[in-house]
Amino acid sequence: MPLRLQMLGTGGAFAKRYFNNNALLYAGDFTLLIDCGITAPMALHAIGKPVEDIDAVLITHIHGDHVGGLEELAFRRKFGSGRKPILYVAENLVEPLWENTLKGGLSQDGVIASLHDVFDVRLLAEDRPMQLAPELKVEIIRTPHIPGKPSYSLYFNDEIFYSADKTFQPKLLEKLVRERGCQRILHEVQLTGRGEVHTTLEELLTLPSEIQSQTLLMHYGDEMETFLGAIGEMEFLRQHEVYTL
C-alpha cells in the first residue's frame, strides 16, 4: 500500500498565511506526525484530526516551528487518555529538547520530571534505519542547517526523501536518486533572499531535470503564489491536501 502525505502546514518559520511545515504520513493504519510546531494543534483542529489518532511523532530538530506544539500535545494526552505519545527522536536531540525547550512548561513537581514522563521516547540513530510500522521504515540523515545544532532529513521506505530544514546539498540528492532508488523528494525552499541556513529556489533550479521532476516544494514564505510558473519542473505542496507518494 503506498504512503500518503498530508501537510498540516507548508509555511516557513515566519509565514503567516500558512501553518508551520509539519506533516502527517499515513502508512496503512499507522499515522506519523512529522514535527509538531507551534501551529500544529491548530492545524490538526482545522482538518478535524484528533490528537488520539496520531500513533507517533518524529522530530527533525528543535526550532519552534518544528517542536513548539509538543507541550500541548503532551498535556492533552497525559490529562486526557493518559496514553503517552510515541516520540521518535535522535539521541543527541533528547537533552536539548527537554532542557532547552519543554522543561519550563511541562515539568511539575512529583508529576513530570523528564521527557520520558510524558512521551514514550524511542531513539533514532544515523545509518540505522528503523521500522516504525509494518509499512513504514525511516532512516535519519544528518544534514546542515544551523551550525552547531543537529538537524535531520528523513528517508522513508528507501524511496521518499523528506528534507526538513537544510542548506543545499545537490550531491546528496543526486546520490539518493541515482544510487539509492529515491522516487520522490519533498524539499524545503526559500523563495527570496540569501540561503544561509535554507535552500533557495535559485539553487534548486540548478538540479538536473530528472531530479526536479521528482521534487515537491514546502517550507515556503507568504509570497509563494507569485512564484507559480517560475519553479522549473518542480511543484508546490499545498497544506491539508492528501498526496499519494
Side-chain angles (χ1 to χ4, degrees):
M1 182 178 295
L3 300 181
R4 294 178 298 127
L5 176 81
Q6 185 174 26
M7 300 301 297
L8 288 182
T10 52
F14 308 126
K16 297 297 180 283
R17 293 180 59 191
Y18 308 104
F19 291 120
N20 295 155
N21 197 90
N22 308 158
L24 293 173
L25 191 61
Y26 304 106
D29 295 331
F30 183 83
T31 300
L32 177 70
L33 173 58
I34 304 173
D35 288 326
C36 184
I38 296 165
T39 65
M42 186 182 301
L44 288 167
H45 176 75
I47 65 170
K49 188 74 170 177
V51 295
E52 290 296 336
D53 287 356
I54 296 171
D55 295 296
V57 185
L58 191 159
I59 297 303
T60 62
H61 63 294
I62 63 169
H63 280 154
D65 55 324
H66 295 264
V67 299
L70 282 176
E71 179 179 315
E72 179 175 335
L73 176 64
F75 275 141
R76 289 178 65 185
R77 289 283 285 264
K78 184 171 183 63
F79 299 110
S81 68
R83 184 166 60 95
K84 291 181 183 178
I86 296 171
L87 177 66
Y88 290 103
V89 60
E91 185 172 6
N92 59 0
L93 292 179
V94 171
E95 182 177 358
L97 178 60
W98 176 252
E99 293 293 336
N100 302 337
T101 303
L102 295 176
K103 183 178 180 179
L106 278 174
S107 60
Q108 297 182 28
D109 289 345
V111 180
I112 301 173
S114 75
L115 196 64
H116 298 271
D117 289 330
V118 285
F119 292 102
D120 176 359
V121 180
R122 303 188 185 183
L123 300 180
L124 298 170
E126 296 176 59
D127 302 318
R128 287 174 54 190
M130 179 177 283
Q131 199 76 33
L132 308 187
E135 299 178 40
L136 184 63
K137 179 176 69 172
V138 68
E139 174 187 344
I140 61 170
I141 302 171
R142 185 159 178 170
T143 44
H145 179 35
I146 302 294
K149 291 187 175 183
S151 184
Y152 294 90
S153 296
L154 311 172
Y155 196 40
F156 292 106
N157 291 359
D158 296 315
E159 62 179 2
I160 298 163
F161 179 73
Y162 184 99
S163 75
D165 292 5
K166 62 184 288 295
T167 55
F168 190 42
Q169 287 187 290
K171 290 184 179 179
L172 172 62
L173 299 177
E174 291 177 10
K175 180 178 180 179
L176 288 169
V177 170
R178 294 172 180 167
E179 299 179 22
R180 298 198 56 191
C182 183
Q183 300 294 316
R184 180 66 73 186
I185 296 169
L186 313 173
H187 208 290
E188 67 127 82
V189 62
Q190 180 178 309
L191 297 172
T192 60
R194 296 174 57 188
E196 297 181 1
V197 297
H198 291 286
T199 300
T200 66
L201 175 59
E202 183 178 8
E203 289 170 323
L204 289 169
L205 286 171
T206 68
L207 290 171
S209 174
E210 63 178 298
I211 297 180
Q212 284 193 42
S213 65
Q214 298 180 29
T215 302
L216 298 172
L217 301 176
M218 60 187 184
H219 200 277
Y220 42 72
D222 289 335
E223 71 276 32
M224 182 272 281
E225 297 286 346
T226 66
F227 281 82
L228 294 175
I231 56 173
E233 297 184 47
M234 299 174 284
E235 298 179 21
F236 284 117
L237 282 167
R238 301 281 187 156
Q239 64 187 26
H240 301 173
E241 291 188 17
V242 178
Y243 297 84
T244 299
L245 301 178

